[in-house]
Amino acid sequence: MLRQLEQGVSAIIELHGPLGAGKTTFTRHLLRALGVEGRIKSPSYAVVEPHECAVAQIHHFDFYRFNDPQEWEDAGFRDVFAAPGLKLVEWPDKAAGLLPRPDLRVVIEPLAQDHRLVRLKAVSPLGQFWLGLLTDSAEEPSFETTAPSVFQGGPAHE
């Protein structure tokens, strides 16, 4: 992922799941893995939080409270999504019709005993490439696994 971001691609990862599923915690872990330092806040009220890693600009969006398409234009989100870097999008359905097509969809589903079912689906060639790194096969359009309750906290939760 870092290599593609370093080359100046614009990549979008959508995060789906109910409230409390672990979308923000997943994002925090991913940002830490990409080298983001410092406090990683949820963008619940600000809609977007920018972050930087050594190779790219990263924007974390939370459209849960988004309800005015004019806000999209006023905030300059069209330009942000067109620019190079990684965009992580929680609650993309709230901005349906405004968002560009994602590269990867991540669906997090709470299970019993504080576990999560995590499904990843490639939606673009870049997404297929990333899934190929996880599955050892670029032919796989999706990936599914269960994970322990790290999505509800753990070391990256601030």
Side-chain angles (χ1 to χ4, degrees):
M1 183 180 285
L2 283 174
R3 183 173 298 139
Q4 289 77 33
L5 293 174
E6 191 173 49
Q7 294 171 354
V9 302
S10 176
I12 301 170
I13 299 176
E14 288 184 352
L15 300 159
H16 297 266
L19 280 172
K23 297 177 296 293
T24 299
T25 301
F26 175 90
T27 298
R28 285 183 176 124
H29 284 281
L30 178 59
L31 292 174
R32 289 283 182 238
L34 292 173
V36 173
E37 297 179 355
R39 187 163 187 252
I40 298 174
K41 300 186 312 182
S42 171
S44 293
Y45 294 100
V47 181
V48 63
E49 287 290 336
H51 302 280
E52 287 188 39
C53 69
V55 298
Q57 185 76 13
I58 302 169
H59 290 86
H60 177 196
F61 292 86
D62 184 334
F63 287 114
Y64 183 73
R65 289 178 176 79
F66 183 82
N67 54 20
D68 182 3
Q70 186 61 43
E71 183 181 356
W72 177 270
E73 294 298 328
D74 294 345
F77 291 156
R78 182 186 315 275
D79 295 333
V80 173
F81 276 90
L86 178 61
K87 290 80 175 179
L88 300 158
V89 184
E90 295 185 41
W91 299 98
D93 52 313
K94 301 279 189 168
L98 299 170
L99 291 170
R101 185 175 176 179
D103 297 290
L104 197 61
R105 283 195 181 105
V106 177
V107 179
I108 304 171
E109 180 183 333
L111 299 175
Q113 302 167 350
D114 292 329
H115 280 70
R116 302 291 186 263
L117 175 64
V118 181
R119 293 185 182 105
L120 289 84
K121 179 175 170 99
V123 185
S124 75
L126 180 59
Q128 282 188 311
F129 176 77
W130 287 342
L131 277 185
L133 297 175
L134 288 174
T135 62
D136 294 329
S137 169
E139 303 301 315
E140 295 292 328
S142 63
F143 177 77
E144 183 176 300
T145 189
T146 56
S149 61
V150 68
F151 286 108
Q152 287 299 350
H157 186 69
E158 295 180 352

